């Protein structure tokens, strides 16, 4: 199985080695050996709740900008997320042997799309990022089998900086789908129109390309930029 296919499969089922072995017909040891060669591999479960909301400028936060007080929190209160697009990057552009990205802007990321309905009272299920296949416990396997997890945002490769871009312009959202570091896009229900939260997780070597793209749309976006540090970046 090619690396991009494996990443996309894990985007659906997570690091469930027995299930991956069954689906790919590879031995479990072969899968574990391949995964051990991928730097920075982690998995963030996206719960199949019937709602997801975002609270901006919260004292408790999921993301906080390094230069400003701008922050947000995934919570059960706030702006409604009506759609969540799980991209997990563009795996065709990553070479796990050299831990480098071959970015030329020719491939557009394709997402798994999850729509959220706001009916009834359903408590959110909170999972933290899984740092290794050993984190895939029986509890998570049962959650998978019961449909309590929609998918997993899969991160791979050495990455040092996180960027969240908020925009009303769908063309800006489309443009950022050509960056191989795109994690997800959350569609947020505004008072008058839908707006978008685009998250990228980037290696230092490619900051210039992202900065140039931001310069072109600077009057159409609000950004949150932070280094990979628990002080600024927490789960999801």
């Amino acid at each position: 199985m090619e690396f991009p296919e494996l990443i996309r499969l894990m985007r659906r089922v997570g690091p469930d080695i027995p299930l991956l072995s069954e689906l790919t017909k590879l031995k479990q040891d072969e899968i574990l050996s391949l995964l051990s060669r991928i730097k920075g591999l982690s998995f963030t479960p996206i719960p199949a709740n019937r709602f997801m909301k975002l609270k901006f400028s919260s004292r408790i936060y999921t993301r906080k900008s390094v230069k400003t007080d701008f922050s947000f929190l995934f919570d059960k209160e706030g702006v409604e997320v009506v759609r969540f697009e799980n991209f997990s990057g563009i795996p065709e552009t990553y070479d796990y042997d050299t831990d480098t990205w071959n970015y030329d802007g020719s491939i557009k990321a394709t997402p798994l799309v999850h729509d959220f309905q706001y009916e009834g009272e359903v408590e959110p299920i909170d999972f933290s990022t899984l740092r290794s296949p050993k984190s895939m416990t029986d509890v998570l396997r049962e959650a998978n089998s019961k449909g309590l997890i929609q998918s997993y945002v899969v991160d791979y490769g050495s990455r040092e900086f996180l960027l969240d871009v908020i925009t009303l312009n769908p063309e800006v959202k489309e443009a950022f789908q050509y960056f191989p570091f795109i994690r997800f896009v959350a569609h947020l229900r505004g008072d008058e129109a839908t707006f978008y939260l685009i998250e990228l997780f980037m290696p230092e070597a490619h900051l210039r390309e992202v900065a140039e793209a931001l310069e072109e749309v600077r009057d159409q976006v609000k950004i949150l930029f932070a280094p990979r540090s628990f002080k600024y970046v927490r789960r999801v």
Side-chain angles (χ1 to χ4, degrees), residues 44-201:
T44 303
I46 305 303
N49 302 321
R50 300 183 68 181
F51 65 84
M52 179 184 285
K53 295 184 179 181
L54 204 68
K55 182 187 294 184
F56 289 99
S57 299
S58 174
R59 183 178 60 84
I60 301 172
Y61 55 83
T62 305
R63 303 282 187 261
K64 184 181 185 303
S65 182
V66 68
K67 292 186 176 181
T68 70
D69 291 332
F70 183 47
S71 64
F72 66 81
L73 171 72
F74 280 103
D75 195 39
K76 59 183 178 181
E77 298 179 354
V79 181
E80 294 177 355
V81 177
V82 294
R83 172 170 290 183
F84 188 92
E85 295 181 275
N86 176 0
F87 289 95
S88 297
I90 305 176
E92 289 86 354
T93 65
Y94 179 68
D95 185 334
Y96 61 84
D97 285 324
T98 60
D99 190 30
T100 57
W101 300 82
N102 180 24
Y103 167 65
D104 62 9
S106 63
I107 304 175
K108 185 179 181 181
T110 55
L112 286 179
V113 180
H114 309 303
D115 291 312
F116 291 86
Q117 298 177 356
Y118 290 79
E119 300 174 1
E121 294 294 330
V122 183
E123 285 298 313
I125 302 171
D126 186 22
F127 292 123
S128 296
T129 297
L130 312 179
R131 299 298 179 186
S132 80
K134 293 181 181 179
S135 303
M136 191 69 184
T137 63
D138 290 339
V139 173
L140 283 174
R141 288 193 180 91
E142 184 176 359
N144 259 356
S145 66
K146 291 183 177 180
L148 299 179
I149 298 174
Q150 299 191 94
S151 67
Y152 294 77
V153 176
V154 185
D155 293 309
Y156 42 91
S158 300
R159 311 194 209 184
E160 293 81 29
F161 295 96
L162 184 132
L163 175 71
D164 286 289
V165 179
I166 296 175
T167 183
L168 283 164
N169 190 340
E171 293 183 1
V172 173
K173 180 186 86 73
E174 292 291 317
F176 274 91
Q177 287 179 219
Y178 287 90
F179 282 101
F181 329 113
I182 186 169
R183 298 187 78 229
F184 63 78
V185 173
H187 298 230
L188 305 167
R189 192 194 307 279
D191 293 335
E192 299 181 358
T194 298
F195 61 106
Y196 309 97
L197 171 69
I198 309 157
E199 180 159 291
L200 284 76
F201 194 16

